[in-house]
Amino acid sequence: AQSVAQPEDQVNVAEGNPLTVKCTYSVSGNPYLFWYVQYPNRGLQFLLKYITGDNLVKGSYGFEAEFNKSQTSFHLKKPSALVSDSALYFCAVRVWAAGNKLTFGGGTRVLVKP
Amino acid sequence: NAGVTQTPKFQVLKTGQSMTLQCAQDMNHNSMYWYRQDPGMGLRLIYYSASEGTTDKGEVPNGYNVSRLNKREFSLRLESAAPSQTSVYFCASSPLGTDNYGYTFGSGTRLTVV
């Protein structure tokens, strides 16, 4: 069975500082990896994905993520955080052989302070 | 361009009451999903429909039923609501095969069972 772990419930960062949200996964087969963001009282919005190719993927709003197969990780990063980045972030994994179902991590709340 | 529409947005039920959560998508997606979101547990898959005419259980199907009415609509029914079903419910859809954005989510239904 596939699983995703987000080891930090909350990440606090000062505006302008680098932001990292951690994600590790466990799958049998090649993973498709996703990051989503959820703002208060809203549904999840797609940020970026890794399917194949370059291990560093760039997404919306200046976010990027690095796929590390040996460490089974897919950490989300932003070089300079904004107060508006404060939200709930979810990592998700899909294995093609298992159909199109996404398995989500527990989520990490990001708080960016001015 | 509505995307995924869920109704209602909020609902309060008494224990034992029944209700149906509605979901419709206008993106011609083949697959649709129902997730529940609980604090610290991320999103857990209740049921999904890979394509019109098929439905399958997800991780937490007990106490729920679904109907894939047509390609656009996928409803979730609680036959006898329990307090443990207090949650935020999200519907999502995706195309089959290669997809650029993973899932598209609705804005959610906040359900309280008293």
Side-chain angles (χ1 to χ4, degrees):
Chain A
Q2 55 201 48
S3 64
V4 178
Q6 294 180 242
E8 300 158 316
D9 291 335
Q10 181 160 323
V11 171
N12 299 316
V13 62
E15 188 174 32
N17 282 1
L19 169 63
T20 299
V21 185
K22 296 179 181 178
C23 171
T24 59
Y25 65 90
S26 175
V27 300
S28 297
N30 293 321
Y32 295 176
L33 295 155
F34 300 81
W35 276 101
Y36 288 83
V37 60
Q38 184 182 30
Y39 298 102
N41 301 313
R42 303 287 298 275
L44 277 71
Q45 300 176 29
F46 171 83
L47 276 180
L48 51 80
K49 68 178 175 73
Y50 172 82
I51 303 298
T52 187
D54 194 348
N55 289 344
L56 183 65
V57 294
K58 296 185 182 297
S60 307
Y61 313 121
F63 284 94
E64 59 187 28
E66 185 167 11
F67 171 64
N68 187 318
K69 188 173 183 177
S70 63
Q71 296 186 4
T72 60
S73 67
F74 189 56
H75 301 331
L76 180 70
K77 299 179 181 181
K78 187 171 184 180
S80 178
L82 300 172
V83 172
S84 57
D85 293 328
S86 298
L88 188 57
Y89 291 80
F90 290 97
C91 182
V93 66
R94 182 183 111 202
V95 176
W96 182 245
N100 203 24
K101 296 176 291 181
L102 283 180
T103 298
F104 288 84
T108 299
R109 187 166 300 281
V110 170
L111 181 59
V112 182
K113 298 182 179 179
Chain B
N1 188 2
V4 178
T5 303
Q6 291 183 236
T7 56
K9 294 188 183 303
F10 302 94
Q11 183 72 49
V12 179
L13 290 179
K14 295 181 179 179
T15 298
Q17 286 185 318
S18 63
M19 78 162 295
T20 299
L21 281 64
Q22 306 287 352
C23 175
Q25 53 91 10
D26 62 1
M27 298 168 287
N28 201 35
H29 284 171
N30 295 96
S31 302
M32 299 185 73
Y33 313 83
W34 277 105
Y35 284 86
R36 59 177 289 173
Q37 182 182 22
D38 302 293
M41 302 188 74
L43 279 76
R44 292 180 292 169
L45 183 64
I46 305 171
Y47 270 94
Y48 68 102
S49 172
S51 60
E52 185 179 359
T54 68
T55 61
D56 287 286
K57 295 178 180 179
E59 182 184 355
V60 287
N62 291 344
Y64 306 95
N65 285 299
V66 291
S67 296
R68 183 73 183 267
L69 304 171
N70 47 56
K71 192 172 186 179
R72 291 186 63 249
E73 298 172 288
F74 188 41
S75 62
L76 178 71
R77 182 162 179 83
L78 288 71
E79 290 291 352
S80 179
S84 60
Q85 295 178 305
T86 294
S87 187
V88 181
Y89 291 85
F90 286 100
C91 177
S93 68
S94 72
L96 276 178
T98 302
D99 59 295
N100 290 324
Y101 299 102
Y103 292 3
T104 301
F105 283 86
S107 58
T109 296
R110 188 174 296 273
L111 175 67
T112 301
V113 183
V114 298

